[in-house]
Amino acid sequence: MSKDQGAQSAKKEEHVSKAFSWFHATSVNGGAMVIAAVISSYFSQYMTDHMGLAAGAASLIMFIATLWDAINDPIMGVLADRTHTKLGRYKPYFIFAPILLTLFSVLIWVNPGFSATGKFIWVLVTYIGYGMTVTMYTMPQMAILPAAVKSNQKRNMIITMGAGTCAAAFTIGNTFTPQLTGFFTNLGFSNGYIPLMIVCGILSAVSFWGLFATSKERYLQPVNQGETLKNLKLVLKHVELFPNIIAWIMASMGYGLMFSTSVYYMMYYYMRPDLISVYMGVISIGALVSMVVLMPIFLKVFKTGQRALMVSQILSMICYIILFFFGKTNFTFLCVVTFISACTSSMQNALVNVLVNDAIDYIQLKEGISANGVISSIKGFAQKCGNTFTNSGVLLVLSLSGYVANAIGQEPESTLFALNFLKFGAPCLTGIILILSVMFNPVHKYAKEIEDMKSKMEDVA
């Protein structure tokens, strides 16, 4: 490539349409994220306290469903990489995503008049359907960003936009679900969750179909057409990527624990179910500040996503330790320190996406192929493993601790300790492992070679 051609290519690379940036940021992180927030924070409690499923049975549902969800991520990643249509490699999946998302997110809230076994099977099947749908659109959505944009600065800008949208969606889903479901109940719906899911599904359709219309798969290399396992082995043979995988698991667990334990914590440990919405609002607003305000500042001050991630985790753990010992002292104190912890910890789930793009670039450098889907699926697999531990683990620990549904003020001391540990102790452990994984990540030593490689990449759209 001549000097003039390189300059023209760099100039072209710098332009990323606002429409693509917006739709990419709001696809997974818009209406679909509101659905995910509602399910993450309220579905476990809905199963045990409204559908009448035992905590152990609900834990088993979460374990089976999220484990299978993790297993099928690599399958989806390989499938996405090998998709060849006139519409593109990753784009076709955005057409069907919101339709299936709406269907399954409605069905999981349906409380059929079945026996306990029948309810178990119903929830298991519908929850697996929901999880597979999320996998179907998450892998291509992650994979299409490095395929459409090669500038790290532009990628990080779009990731930051997505993080802000994610935080706003989580604020709505976590804070206002009781009010939103109550609104629909007042309109005559017997179950307010169902119309809420339909509205969110319609919003997700706007974003996913907009992403389909505005995305261009410019920067793709040939795909290894060998056997599926060979594609995975081709990536996983690079031990340099293993710290990334561990970091993805820990970030998923830490982020998930922050939300999935809060309803139980306020209801049974703090014994103030009337304050659930207030406390969830504190967490959600903290997450919004984290991703919209603080994350860009952290990236600017600490220069890289890796450094920003480590600093944010250290600050979060300090808050968690304080809350573990003194969280029940005063509600105002609990809210203030929780807000600070949410401000510093919530960005972890977005910052680890920087590691996805690093891994994709690294494999292109070392193997000369695009493995966007495979690497995105490995990240998805790691994230779902974290979700498996979080979703089923919380319920399992509660079951083993002697938890009794709807027994506010009557839970045994073992359950109260378990709730406090799950809320503040466990995220400290995941944070320590996450920091160590990022500290000993060797991929960064290839940064200059990767930048040289990307400067020579041509637009193939």
Side-chain angles (χ1 to χ4, degrees):
M1 182 186 295
S2 68
K3 184 175 181 180
D4 290 340
Q5 287 176 322
Q8 291 174 359
S9 177
K11 183 178 180 180
K12 186 173 183 179
E13 173 205 347
E14 292 172 359
H15 176 71
V16 178
S17 75
K18 292 181 179 179
F20 169 78
S21 300
W22 173 251
F23 287 127
H24 190 278
T26 59
S27 52
V28 170
N29 296 308
M33 187 56 66
V34 176
I35 292 174
V38 174
I39 293 172
S40 173
S41 296
Y42 294 93
F43 189 58
S44 292
Q45 190 260 345
Y46 182 83
M47 284 191 292
T48 57
D49 294 8
H50 293 274
M51 295 190 74
L53 287 169
S59 172
L60 184 59
I61 288 172
M62 289 296 190
F63 178 78
I64 295 172
T66 52
L67 181 61
W68 166 243
D69 200 17
I71 292 171
N72 67 52
D73 272 15
I75 299 173
M76 183 64 227
V78 172
L79 180 63
D81 276 341
R82 295 186 176 194
T83 298
H84 296 285
T85 72
K86 293 181 180 179
L87 299 176
R89 187 181 296 183
Y90 307 115
K91 291 172 60 175
Y93 297 98
F94 304 142
I95 298 174
F96 306 102
I99 300 172
L100 293 174
L101 174 65
T102 305
L103 172 65
F104 285 110
S105 65
V106 165
L107 290 178
I108 67 171
W109 297 101
V110 173
N111 187 358
F114 298 158
S115 65
T117 301
K119 287 182 180 180
F120 179 92
I121 295 172
W122 172 267
V123 176
L124 178 63
V125 171
T126 55
Y127 195 78
I128 285 176
Y130 166 75
M132 292 183 69
T133 300
V134 173
T135 299
M136 186 194 75
Y137 63 69
T138 302
M139 299 304 102
Q141 191 263 5
M142 283 194 291
I144 205 166
L145 179 57
V149 182
K150 66 179 178 179
S151 163
N152 281 338
Q153 183 180 7
K154 296 292 184 181
R155 290 177 184 177
N156 289 346
M157 178 196 72
I158 295 172
I159 289 173
T160 303
M161 286 179 62
T165 307
C166 175
F170 250 95
T171 299
I172 294 170
N174 282 283
T175 308
F176 301 111
T177 291
Q179 289 77 15
L180 291 171
T181 55
F183 169 78
F184 288 116
T185 301
N186 291 336
L187 291 180
F189 292 92
S190 60
N191 185 339
Y193 285 105
I194 291 176
L196 177 58
M197 295 297 102
I198 293 173
V199 170
C200 292
I202 293 171
L203 293 175
S204 74
V206 174
S207 296
F208 277 110
W209 292 342
L211 180 59
F212 169 82
T214 59
S215 56
K216 296 180 180 179
E217 298 172 348
R218 290 187 173 99
Y219 309 109
L220 289 173
Q221 300 293 333
V223 176
N224 186 351
Q225 295 296 327
E227 298 177 6
T228 299
L229 289 178
K230 288 184 178 179
N231 286 288
L232 288 171
K233 289 178 180 178
L234 190 67
V235 173
L236 293 176
K237 74 178 184 180
H238 294 277
V239 295
E240 291 86 353
L241 300 182
F242 286 7
N244 286 358
I245 297 173
I246 296 172
W248 294 330
I249 294 174
M250 293 302 109
S252 175
M253 291 180 65
Y255 188 76
L257 285 167
M258 180 169 59
F259 292 100
S260 64
T261 58
S262 296
V263 173
Y264 283 113
Y265 179 84
M266 287 306 301
M267 181 173 289
Y268 297 110
Y269 185 80
Y270 220 85
M271 293 179 284
R272 291 294 302 271
D274 57 307
L275 295 176
I276 289 175
S277 292
V278 176
Y279 189 63
M280 297 299 279
V282 169
I283 296 173
S284 299
I285 295 172
L288 185 64
V289 172
S290 176
M291 296 187 187
V292 175
V293 180
L294 293 181
M295 181 174 158
I297 294 174
F298 272 51
L299 285 170
K300 183 176 181 179
V301 171
F302 300 109
K303 307 302 182 184
T304 68
Q306 291 87 342
R307 292 195 194 100
L309 186 57
M310 288 190 290
V311 173
S312 69
Q313 285 300 291
I314 292 171
L315 296 174
S316 301
M317 287 189 294
I318 294 172
C319 293
Y320 289 143
I321 292 170
I322 293 172
L323 289 170
F324 180 82
F325 290 104
F326 306 108
K328 207 172 183 179
T329 304
N330 177 276
F331 184 67
T332 301
F333 176 79
L334 173 68
C335 287
V336 170
V337 183
T338 296
F339 177 78
I340 296 171
S341 69
C343 285
T344 55
S345 65
S346 298
M347 66 180 76
Q348 66 180 303
N349 220 33
L351 286 172
V352 291
N353 286 330
V354 172
L355 304 179
V356 176
N357 296 322
D358 289 346
I360 288 171
D361 292 338
Y362 174 78
I363 291 299
Q364 282 190 333
L365 173 70
K366 291 297 183 180
E367 301 292 342
I369 64 169
S370 288
N372 301 35
V374 171
I375 292 170
S376 297
S377 71
I378 293 172
K379 192 267 183 179
F381 173 81
Q383 183 175 8
K384 300 297 174 54
C385 285
N387 291 342
T388 300
F389 289 123
T390 301
N391 295 336
S392 62
V394 167
L395 290 165
L396 179 61
V397 170
L398 289 180
S399 178
L400 294 175
S401 71
Y403 163 77
V404 181
N406 295 309
I408 300 173
Q410 303 175 41
E411 298 291 348
E413 286 297 322
S414 56
T415 297
L416 298 180
F417 176 83
L419 286 169
N420 195 31
F421 175 78
L422 288 169
K423 179 63 181 166
F424 301 120
C428 286
L429 298 180
T430 62
I432 291 171
I433 299 172
L434 176 56
I435 290 171
L436 292 174
S437 299
V438 175
M439 283 179 60
F440 294 102
N441 185 349
V443 172
H444 70 273
K445 70 182 181 182
Y446 299 97
K448 187 178 185 304
E449 294 175 61
I450 289 172
E451 287 305 312
D452 290 342
M453 173 197 71
K454 289 196 293 184
S455 68
K456 299 173 184 177
M457 292 173 66
E458 297 182 1
D459 187 337
V460 297

